[in-house]
């Protein structure tokens, strides 16, 4: 299925008017689909798999801002450390330490979001509030990572009230995060929440960055990867 240009344009103008950043989630989609979105002016793209991201980065325009939105294993940080724009799903101290190490090797500071566990499912990754505070205490010792905000994923459910409650819980944690000293976080902060099915609700609950895939690129065919 080709990129839905009309849908892309209407989502882009909707998000622009609300000052919400669109991360176009291009996982499993061919480079041509990214090029089509790029031609509309889109520069932020999100990928979930390290190898796929590295392959696309090598062949696509170098002014694309690549977001890593998947579950990142520590031993794979080195493959994306030279170029990644923002790592959304930081969910352990070990991973943050490895990102710091690889950023130093590449002589750069890597921007990260801390993933917060808001869904009821056991399988979703992320910190709780107490763990976030433990991470906070470690940040002065990690000068090559810059924590820019939080990321979360709601439960996979049709129950809008439940999704809304989870988003509002994350917004509350984000408000507390914004009280952290600017010496250990970026000045402007990011709340990455909302996907194709729930991005409008997420924005209403305070999100300023949404990760949208299937609404832009069509449904994914994992078998083709
Ligand atoms: C795949 C993915 C998305 C995009 O999902 P859609 O429902 O296709 O918009 C957003 N965030 C994360 C973390 C993802 O893995």
């Amino acid at each position: 299925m080709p990129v839905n240009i009309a849908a892309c344009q209407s989502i882009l103008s909707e998000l622009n008017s609300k000052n919400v950043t669109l991360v176009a989630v291009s996982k499993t989609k061919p480079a041509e689909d990214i090029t089509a979105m790029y031609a509309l002016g889109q520069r932020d793209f999100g990928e979930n798999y390290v190898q796929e991201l590295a392959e696309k980065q090598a062949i696509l325009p170098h002014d694309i801002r690549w977001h890593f939105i998947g579950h990142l294993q520590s031993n794979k940080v080195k493959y994306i450390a030279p170029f990644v724009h923002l790592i959304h799903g930081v969910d352990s101290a070990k991973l943050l330490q490895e990102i710091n190490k690889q950023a130093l090797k590449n002589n750069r500071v890597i921007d990260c979001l801390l993933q917060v566990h808001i869904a009821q499912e056991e399988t979703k990754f992320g910190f709780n509030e107490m763990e976030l505070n433990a991470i906070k205490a470690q940040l002065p010792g990690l000068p090559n990572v810059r924590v820019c905000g939080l990321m979360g994923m709601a439960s996979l459910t049709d129950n809008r009230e439940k999704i809304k409650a989870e988003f509002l819980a994350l917004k509350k944690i984000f408000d507390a995060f914004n009280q952290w000293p600017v010496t250990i976080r970026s000045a402007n902060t990011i709340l990455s929440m909302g996907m194709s099915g729930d991005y409008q609700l997420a924005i209403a609950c305070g999100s300023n960055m949404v990760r949208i895939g299937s609404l832009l690129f069509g449904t994914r065919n994992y078998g083709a990867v």
Side-chain angles (χ1 to χ4, degrees), residues 66-156:
W66 291 106
H67 296 244
F68 191 83
I69 64 169
H71 180 63
L72 184 56
Q73 289 169 285
S74 297
N75 62 354
K76 295 199 170 158
V77 175
K78 56 178 177 281
Y79 300 114
I80 61 170
F83 64 85
V84 71
H85 174 69
L86 180 64
I87 299 176
H88 287 232
V90 176
D91 62 357
S92 75
K94 181 181 167 224
L95 177 59
L96 202 61
Q97 286 155 10
E98 179 63 17
I99 295 169
N100 184 70
K101 182 177 150 191
Q102 296 299 333
L104 181 62
K105 270 194 186 167
N106 285 278
N107 196 22
R108 62 184 297 232
V109 173
I110 295 181
D111 286 350
C112 296
L113 303 180
L114 301 175
Q115 185 166 355
V116 180
H117 182 103
I118 51 169
Q120 216 150 48
E121 290 116 56
E122 282 291 323
T123 51
K124 290 252 162 69
F125 298 101
F127 298 113
N128 61 33
E129 267 186 282
M130 208 176 71
E131 292 164 338
L132 272 187
N133 285 317
I135 289 292
K136 178 184 176 185
Q138 292 198 17
L139 292 178
L142 302 170
N144 288 76
V145 294
R146 184 171 73 146
V147 173
C148 299
L150 306 179
M151 179 268 215
M153 285 206 277
S155 296
L156 259 181

Side-chain angles (χ1 to χ4, degrees), residues 156-212:
L156 259 181
T157 170
D158 291 332
N159 183 340
R160 308 301 286 180
E161 284 309 312
K162 184 172 159 61
I163 295 173
K164 185 177 174 189
E166 292 175 357
F167 283 159
L168 289 175
L170 179 52
K171 174 59 164 57
K172 201 163 156 231
I173 296 170
F174 182 63
D175 290 341
F177 168 83
N178 280 320
Q179 302 302 312
W180 291 13
V182 284
T183 48
I184 59 164
R185 62 164 172 88
S186 61
N188 293 318
T189 55
I190 296 168
L191 180 54
S192 168
M193 75 180 183
M195 318 191 348
S196 287
D198 55 22
Y199 78 94
Q200 283 158 327
L201 182 55
I203 293 167
C205 293
S207 166
N208 59 19
M209 181 175 278
V210 294
R211 310 173 309 269
I212 300 181

